[in-house]
Each structure stands twice: as structure tokens, then as C-alpha cells.
Amino acid sequence: MNPHEKTCALVFGGSQGLGLAIAQRLVAEGCTNLVIAARDIAKGEAAAKQLGATFIPCDLADVAQVVAVVDQAAARMGRVDALCIAGATTDRGSVLDTTPQIWDQMIAANAKGPFFALQRVAQLAKASKHPASVVNILSMVVHCGQSFLAPYSASKAALANVTKNAANALRGDRIRVNGINCGWMDTPGEDSVQRRYHGAQDGWLAAAEAKQPFGMLVKPDNVAQLAAYMLGPNSGVMTGSIVDFDQNVSGAYPE
């Protein structure tokens, strides 16, 4: 069964981690029309070669670049009917020390850029009268987030609202928009963040996983299966849904 054999997909952040896992899953499910976009050119070109996809360099914080990527992807594939926003900036900052520069950067990359990517895909889909599906990769921090993730949490909460609002606005055009709130995830990006900001050393992942209820962090391959399902025809009319993909339950308290 190849639910994505007719899919024309664009994945922002598709060069590594969860974005790459989603792109790989789409290919495994039959997708042969795939464009990935990311900042890192070397990683992007390597991923595209592995996937048999097209790579276009893009900084999600640059709206002009984002819109151009959507247009280029649509021109290359004939349309974009599956959009996944998996790229994000995760710099630290609390309510006490976040600078205006960090705030603007976080909102630009994690909310503004994704909004205009979604907008452009929706505009093209509506003009061509074809259905489309969008999946925004969010985070459990939309419910609050740690104190050192103040601007990141705000940016993802903004994108969560965009997800719901767009789903409502676009359902009459058969454009579905859903999101996934990911929990603490085992990715190369997370490894870099732990070492850069939290002084983590080799072995930090095993130590962290030993403390989790299921003995592991969230794995990209598992989330990728849900994202591919949401992007494909098997999810039917599903729209405006935001799924918490985590082992910790929002709103729960210690017994």
C-alpha cells in the first residue's frame, strides 16, 4: 500500500532529525515527488541525494525565501499538496533575560515563516482547485514550557493557533491543517542543544532516557509515521487537530 504515491510534498527542515524522518517516511509510502528545504546546504544536499528528492536552501525566518521555495517546489512538481513545517530555532531565553533580538528571531523562524509558507501553499491550492494537507510540527511547550524556553514556547504557541485558525478558514477549500506537539525528542539537534546550553557530556542521552516513564525519549521515526498519516489520504477529513505526542500528560500532577 502506497498512500503517498501521488503526493507532491514539501518538507521544511527536511535535512536532519524529525524533518528527515518524515521525508523518509513519505518516500517509504510511495512519494516520488519531494522537495526538502533547510538552512544547512551540505546536510540538505546529502539528504536529498539519499531520498531522491530536490533540495532548496532556505532560512525559515526569511519570508521572501520561504515563499520562493513554495513557488519553486510547485513549479518543479506541478503542485504542492502536502506541506510539513519541521524546521525551528530553539535558542534559550527566559522572561528575565530574553532580548528583543532573540524574540524577533524566534517568532520569525517558528511562527512567521511557517505562516507564510502555509499561506502560499493554500493560495496555490485554492487557485488550482486541488486539495492539500499541512502538518505543523509543534511542541509540548505550547502548554507552558520550561522557564528557559520562554520565546520558543511563545513562538510554538503562536503556530498552534495558526494551525487551528487556518484549519477553520481553509476547510471549505479542502485544505486540511493539523499539528503535532512533540515531547522531548532524541535528535542530532537536541544533542547539540544539550551540549551547547546545558553542559551535557557523552552518555547524557542514556541517563536522560533511564528517567523517562517508557525508558526512552520520543523517537523521530514514531512521530514521522503520524505526520505521514496526517499528510495522506488515509486521515480523511481530519483537520484542526493537534496531537500531544509525549509520555508526560499535560495537566497531570504527581500522585
Side-chain angles (χ1 to χ4, degrees):
M1 183 177 180
N2 295 312
H4 285 288
E5 63 182 351
K6 296 181 181 179
T7 297
C8 295
L10 170 58
V11 180
F12 282 92
S15 65
Q16 68 174 10
L18 178 55
L20 177 58
I22 292 169
Q24 290 170 330
R25 187 68 191 180
L26 291 172
V27 170
E29 294 185 2
C31 180
T32 57
N33 290 297
L34 173 64
V35 172
I36 61 172
R39 286 175 296 184
D40 192 309
I41 294 176
K43 288 181 180 178
E45 290 178 343
K49 183 176 180 180
Q50 174 200 120
L51 295 163
T54 296
F55 170 67
I56 303 175
C58 181
D59 181 352
L60 259 175
D62 187 321
V63 170
Q65 286 187 35
V66 167
V67 173
V69 166
V70 174
D71 286 343
Q72 290 175 51
R76 179 175 291 272
M77 298 186 292
R79 68 184 186 278
V80 174
D81 55 25
L83 170 67
C84 181
I85 307 288
T89 296
T90 58
D91 289 340
R92 273 31 184 169
S94 75
V95 70
L96 294 174
D97 60 22
T98 295
T99 65
Q101 292 76 18
I102 290 176
W103 175 269
D104 289 345
Q105 176 187 1
M106 204 74 69
I107 295 298
N110 298 350
K112 184 178 180 180
F115 176 91
F116 286 101
L118 189 162
Q119 179 192 77
R120 188 58 181 151
V121 166
Q123 288 172 342
L124 294 176
K126 183 172 181 176
S128 298
K129 294 181 168 53
H130 68 74
S133 181
V134 178
V135 170
N136 289 322
I137 298 303
L138 307 168
S139 168
M140 289 294 287
V141 302
V142 304
H143 300 297
C144 179
Q146 294 100 315
S147 61
F148 54 80
L149 292 178
Y152 177 72
S153 300
S155 68
K156 285 297 187 178
L159 187 56
N161 181 270
V162 167
T163 301
K164 289 275 193 180
N165 187 278
N168 182 58
L170 298 171
R171 58 191 179 137
D173 299 302
R174 298 189 178 181
I175 298 170
R176 302 185 298 115
V177 188
N178 295 291
I180 304 174
N181 286 334
C182 298
W184 194 9
M185 191 181 304
D186 172 16
T187 65
E190 181 60 22
D191 181 73
S192 296
V193 163
Q194 288 297 320
R195 293 174 188 275
R196 178 181 177 186
Y197 291 105
H198 304 288
Q201 304 295 320
D202 291 349
W204 76 264
L205 177 60
E209 292 195 316
K211 298 177 182 178
Q212 303 305 308
F214 289 91
M216 63 180 184
L217 300 191
V218 174
K219 300 299 178 179
D221 287 346
N222 298 143
V223 181
Q225 293 182 58
L226 176 58
Y229 170 76
M230 286 177 161
L231 287 168
N234 290 337
S235 51
V237 300
M238 180 183 186
T239 196
S241 295
I242 297 179
V243 177
D244 284 355
F245 202 115
D246 195 21
Q247 57 200 306
N248 297 302
V249 180
S250 177
Y253 292 87
E255 297 291 339

